[in-house]
Amino acid sequence: MQIYLPIADIPVNIFLLLAMGAAVGFVSGMFGIGGGFLMTPLLIFVGITPAVAVASVSSHIAASSFSGALSYWRRRAIDPSLAAVLMIGGALGTALGVATFTLLRSLGQLDLMIALSYVVLLTSVGGVMFWEGLRAMMRARQGAVATVRRPGSHVWIHGLPLKMRFKRSKIYVSVIPVIGVGLIIGFLGAVMGIGGGFILVPLLIYLLRVPTSTVIGTSMVLTLATMMIATMLHALSNHLVDAVLALILMIGGVTGAQFGARAGQMIRGEQLRLLLGLLILAVGIRFAIELVIRPDDLFTIRETEMSR
């Protein structure tokens, strides 16, 4: 059953989109991440242009993050002050990212930049996560105890000026790295169509020493804010948000997330990290292959803003 996507300007099988949404929702529920790093490439692989894929997935991530953030808020597992400072950087980064997105699109280099960004980011992050998960599994088999730094312990970051106390997270740290982290996540989300949870959570834990009791909920609040801003800016400046596509993906994603959350509870933490790292690495390699293989059509004609 084909459905026409008005902004993407192509017909797509509706059951394929629902299956993709459910699959990514399953992965999101299992690993506790937004899933944009997987959804955007899948849409690109089925023929949707990278620009529309990035802009439309932002609304999908925002919707899924809202339900998750609401759940964590009810459990008082969010640090409001930390989330507010992160959102300052996130808003700036998202605005900068959308401006960069628009510039690259006008220059005709957007598709290449998105592909290169996915190759570099996903292969590096996926490789590190896969190796860390593999080492953790090997330590567990040998009976070794991993040394974990205590949340709140000080590193060089804590020597920076403009310190602020975040009571619920029980940390006293400069707002400079906090705003910097938000800016990076906002920029990447606007340009690549990812929530950035698989990058944000490790940064908050290992760089800022945010305890795990508040890190997931706080990261979801930032993801919600940056993706809402990105969706609005993409819709206003680039007119690339396909509401039909986003709605279908949301329906599939909500269904798959319920089963993924249950499956994630049956797998140990180091196994989850290993699987997630392998998945991220596979997507990065897939993008790298797309860049080097010879396309069927050597020339394409695409209407740009300059030709109108």
Side-chain angles (χ1 to χ4, degrees), residues 285-301:
I285 293 174
R286 177 69 170 79
F287 258 106
I289 294 174
E290 285 286 324
L291 285 176
V292 297
I293 62 174
R294 183 185 179 90
D296 295 330
D297 298 323
L298 297 181
F299 301 96
T300 60
I301 300 176

Side-chain angles (χ1 to χ4, degrees), residues 127-152:
V128 171
M129 292 185 68
F130 177 79
W131 176 244
E132 193 275 334
L134 185 62
R135 289 181 58 191
M137 290 183 63
M138 294 174 61
R139 287 196 300 264
R141 288 185 178 182
Q142 297 172 357
V145 179
T147 57
V148 181
R149 293 184 179 180
R150 180 173 55 88

Side-chain angles (χ1 to χ4, degrees), residues 206-260:
Y206 298 111
L207 184 65
L208 302 179
R209 297 292 182 260
V210 178
T212 54
S213 59
T214 59
V215 69
I216 300 296
T218 304
S219 69
M220 283 191 172
V221 173
L222 176 62
T223 300
L224 171 62
T226 55
M227 290 297 98
M228 285 180 61
I229 296 172
T231 300
M232 290 186 292
L233 292 179
H234 279 306
L236 293 174
S237 61
N238 298 307
H239 310 288
L240 292 173
V241 178
D242 196 311
V244 176
L245 173 61
L247 179 60
I248 296 174
L249 295 178
M250 288 179 196
I251 295 173
V254 170
T255 304
Q258 305 301 318
F259 295 97

Side-chain angles (χ1 to χ4, degrees), residues 254-297:
V254 170
T255 304
Q258 305 301 318
F259 295 97
R262 297 176 184 176
Q265 296 173 357
M266 304 177 185
I267 305 177
R268 295 189 307 183
E270 61 271 14
Q271 293 175 333
L272 280 175
R273 292 194 298 271
L274 180 67
L275 291 174
L276 179 58
L278 186 61
L279 179 62
I280 295 173
L281 187 60
V283 176
I285 293 174
R286 177 69 170 79
F287 258 106
I289 294 174
E290 285 286 324
L291 285 176
V292 297
I293 62 174
R294 183 185 179 90
D296 295 330
D297 298 323

Side-chain angles (χ1 to χ4, degrees), residues 157-215:
I157 289 292
H158 293 77
L160 296 176
L162 301 177
K163 289 186 177 181
M164 179 176 176
R165 191 174 302 279
F166 302 98
K167 295 182 179 179
R168 188 163 295 181
S169 295
K170 298 179 181 178
I171 58 174
Y172 183 55
V173 67
S174 169
V175 298
I176 297 175
V178 179
I179 293 176
V181 168
L183 191 146
I184 292 172
I185 298 301
F187 181 84
L188 292 177
V191 174
M192 300 177 62
I194 59 176
F198 65 99
I199 304 173
L200 177 60
V201 171
L203 283 177
L204 293 179
I205 292 176
Y206 298 111
L207 184 65
L208 302 179
R209 297 292 182 260
V210 178
T212 54
S213 59
T214 59
V215 69

Side-chain angles (χ1 to χ4, degrees), residues 22-81:
V24 175
F26 182 86
V27 173
S28 301
M30 176 180 288
F31 298 113
I33 56 178
F37 76 94
L38 185 58
M39 180 62 78
T40 303
L42 285 177
L43 293 176
I44 295 173
F45 295 156
V46 299
I48 296 175
T49 60
V52 175
V54 169
S56 301
V57 166
S58 298
S59 59
H60 173 257
I61 299 173
S64 60
S65 299
F66 175 76
S67 60
L70 187 61
S71 175
Y72 279 96
W73 178 267
R74 289 172 178 170
R75 290 154 48 187
R76 297 181 60 83
I78 294 176
D79 189 325
S81 56

